[in-house]
Amino acid sequence: MLSKRSSGKTVGVAFAAALLTLIVLYHISRRRSISSILTSSPLRSRILSPRPKVNAAFVMLVQNKDVYGAVNTIRQIEDRFNLNYRYPYVFLNDKPFTQEFMGMMKKASKAEMTFGVVPVEHWSYPDWISKEQAAEARERMRHVIYGSSESYRHMCRYQSGFISQHDALLQYDYYWRIEPDVKYSCDLDFDPFRYMQENGKNYAFTISIYEYAETVVGLWDATKEFMEKYPHLLAENNALDLISDDGGKTYNNCHFWSNFEIVDTRWMRSDAFRQFFDHLDHHSIGGFFYQRWGDAPVHTIAAALLLPIDQIHFFREIGYYHNPFFNCPAEPELQSKCHCDPALNVNRERFTCTAKFLELSGAKRMVYPEELDDYYEE
């Protein structure tokens, strides 16, 4: 004789089996198999078959010694966005990558990865630059951030004008620049690459600040010469008023912080952009070597002059940190997907030009934490 406990257990199992049988028969009657039920799950569809990817990739210019910082960034990109998309990664270095570096990157993501070496001609002194004069300039600029660094100058020149020409990137229409040891603090429920494509955006940023004046000596003089020589390359409805407060007489040092940028590489390979970079690169000022021009002001000036302002975009939704600055949205519908403090958002400070960009472009202004009470009331 069965005990009451075992008898109850048997009844429970029998009931569950009967219920499962009824469910199966119901779906069979509707000519749907169990497998079709599982594969039609919205969550499963999102994981296995998101919308077709845009022809785009992440790109990181990185050294072997930064392997752990690179892994940290890749894991965050995967967790916040790329796990469901598997956009490829392109890693570039001025020296060959080690097996350790490549192995650790491949463990951090299942996405396709390419490891490339920067061509020597893009990471060396061109014929028109004097190495002796460049060395004297570095000594003279020891008091300026990165002013004494030779490798930093090669990096800035490469990022300014050559990166989109690397063989590993030629197949892609967009790149998203990432760097070691940055932080992404918001889950993304949309595809920034697709947003760029569908809305005709060529350049996007998350942080803008004003550059140190000591690092852009001569840059605006060279730019004004370009504008006078090639007026037909300047875009209508451009963003000149973002980077100059006096109609182009002087540069106000506003720049998009290019350690994060999403760029249409076809624009960077366009005749207008190539002409602008070549003009700066060959200029007698020798700004990449005799001064300390960075890629951020170069890209910013190029975007502001060569693109209509409506082709430049601010991704407020992307919570981002690169020491020492944050972008962190305060809007409740965005903050609910983030784990950053909106009070630390550098874009609300006086030394940023993001608010001015939003005003000039006609975009919705930022919401500040102290305004949230009024925001909820609206």
Side-chain angles (χ1 to χ4, degrees):
M1 181 178 294
L2 295 173
S3 67
K4 291 183 178 180
R5 178 178 297 179
S6 61
S7 176
K9 183 177 181 181
T10 301
V11 171
V13 171
F15 177 78
L19 182 60
L20 180 60
T21 300
L22 289 173
I23 292 174
V24 171
L25 290 174
Y26 169 74
H27 285 291
I28 289 176
S29 70
R30 296 184 62 187
R31 298 182 180 180
R32 295 181 64 193
S33 68
I34 293 297
S35 61
S36 72
I37 298 168
L38 292 175
T39 56
S40 65
S41 161
L43 177 60
R44 187 173 178 84
S45 296
R46 183 184 174 208
I47 293 174
L48 295 183
S49 56
R51 295 178 65 186
K53 292 187 296 187
V54 174
N55 185 26
F58 295 98
V59 62
M60 180 186 289
L61 182 63
V62 60
Q63 297 178 315
N64 288 307
K65 66 182 179 65
D66 294 320
V67 58
Y68 292 104
V71 167
N72 179 49
T73 295
I74 299 305
R75 283 308 318 154
Q76 290 188 61
I77 291 290
E78 292 295 302
D79 292 343
R80 300 282 167 255
F81 166 68
N82 201 42
L83 183 64
N84 294 334
Y85 291 88
R86 294 191 182 177
Y87 278 106
Y89 293 89
V90 174
F91 298 94
L92 301 177
N93 192 349
D94 64 309
K95 296 181 173 58
F97 283 107
T98 63
Q99 290 298 320
E100 177 194 16
F101 185 96
M102 293 187 289
M104 291 191 67
M105 294 307 107
K106 290 176 181 178
K107 290 179 181 178
S109 170
K110 294 182 179 179
E112 177 186 346
M113 293 185 176
T114 302
F115 300 88
V117 177
V118 174
V120 174
E121 62 270 24
H122 292 167
W123 200 282
S124 56
Y125 290 98
D127 295 340
W128 57 89
I129 292 295
S130 163
K131 293 183 181 180
E132 292 75 19
Q133 189 174 343
E136 292 172 1
R138 294 195 302 274
E139 184 64 29
R140 184 183 73 248
M141 298 183 71
R142 284 190 171 276
H143 67 288
V144 178
I145 184 170
Y146 300 119
S148 62
S149 173
E150 183 178 32
S151 62
Y152 189 83
R153 284 171 167 78
H154 288 300
M155 182 274 290
C156 287
R157 179 174 179 250
Y158 181 73
Q159 295 272 30
S160 291
F162 295 123
I163 190 168
S164 65
Q165 299 179 45
H166 195 284
D167 287 346
L169 282 173
L170 286 178
Q171 63 181 299
Y172 299 113
D173 296 337
Y174 300 89
Y175 75 65
W176 177 338
R177 177 174 165 182
I178 56 177
E179 294 204 350
D181 284 320
V182 296
K183 294 180 173 60
Y184 287 87
S185 53
C186 299
D187 292 330
L188 298 182
D189 55 5
F190 72 102
D191 182 348
F193 288 127
R194 183 165 295 283
Y195 181 89
M196 299 281 288
Q197 183 184 70
E198 293 183 348
N199 292 277
K201 306 297 183 181
N202 285 310
Y203 190 92
F205 69 100
T206 57
I207 290 173
S208 73
I209 53 177
Y210 290 100
E211 182 63 290
Y212 296 108
E214 298 93 334
T215 69
V216 290
V217 173
L219 178 57
W220 195 248
D221 289 335
T223 298
K224 287 195 294 184
E225 291 177 17
F226 172 84
M227 290 191 287
E228 293 171 1
K229 189 174 182 180
Y230 304 102
H232 60 288
L233 296 180
L234 305 182
E236 294 184 9
N237 302 315
N238 62 37
L240 174 64
D241 289 342
L242 176 67
I243 59 175
S244 176
D245 299 328
D246 51 17
K249 294 179 181 179
T250 60
Y251 175 40
N252 63 17
N253 299 339
C254 168
H255 72 284
F256 307 130
W257 220 25
S258 59
N259 45 70
F260 172 102
E261 60 182 4
I262 302 179
V263 186
D264 187 325
T265 58
R266 294 162 296 186
W267 168 63
M268 289 190 72
R269 300 185 197 112
S270 69
D271 291 342
F273 185 93
R274 298 307 315 156
Q275 192 70 58
F276 178 67
F277 173 73
D278 288 345
H279 173 82
L280 297 183
D281 195 31
H282 288 80
H283 199 281
S284 60
I285 293 174
F288 290 112
F289 295 102
Y290 302 155
Q291 299 299 330
R292 209 236 65 185
W293 294 354
D295 54 279
V298 170
H299 282 188
T300 302
I301 293 172
L305 297 180
L306 307 179
L307 295 174
I309 194 170
D310 62 4
Q311 292 181 13
I312 305 172
H313 185 66
F314 169 53
F315 274 120
R316 69 184 75 210
E317 305 93 336
I318 300 179
Y320 177 70
Y321 173 78
H322 182 297
N323 186 34
F325 298 126
F326 284 90
N327 176 57
C328 182
E331 291 86 341
E333 66 274 16
L334 301 180
Q335 180 58 211
S336 63
K337 305 166 190 172
C338 304
H339 63 267
C340 54
D341 182 354
L344 300 177
N345 189 350
V346 69
N347 288 305
R348 57 178 288 179
E349 301 293 342
R350 60 180 175 78
F351 47 83
T352 178
C353 35
T354 302
K356 184 177 182 180
F357 168 79
L358 295 176
E359 180 182 359
L360 290 172
S361 64
K364 183 179 179 182
R365 74 176 186 85
M366 289 178 292
V367 173
Y368 301 135
E370 60 268 23
E371 299 175 323
L372 287 180
D373 288 342
D374 293 336
Y375 186 89
Y376 283 120
E377 289 176 4
E378 293 174 3

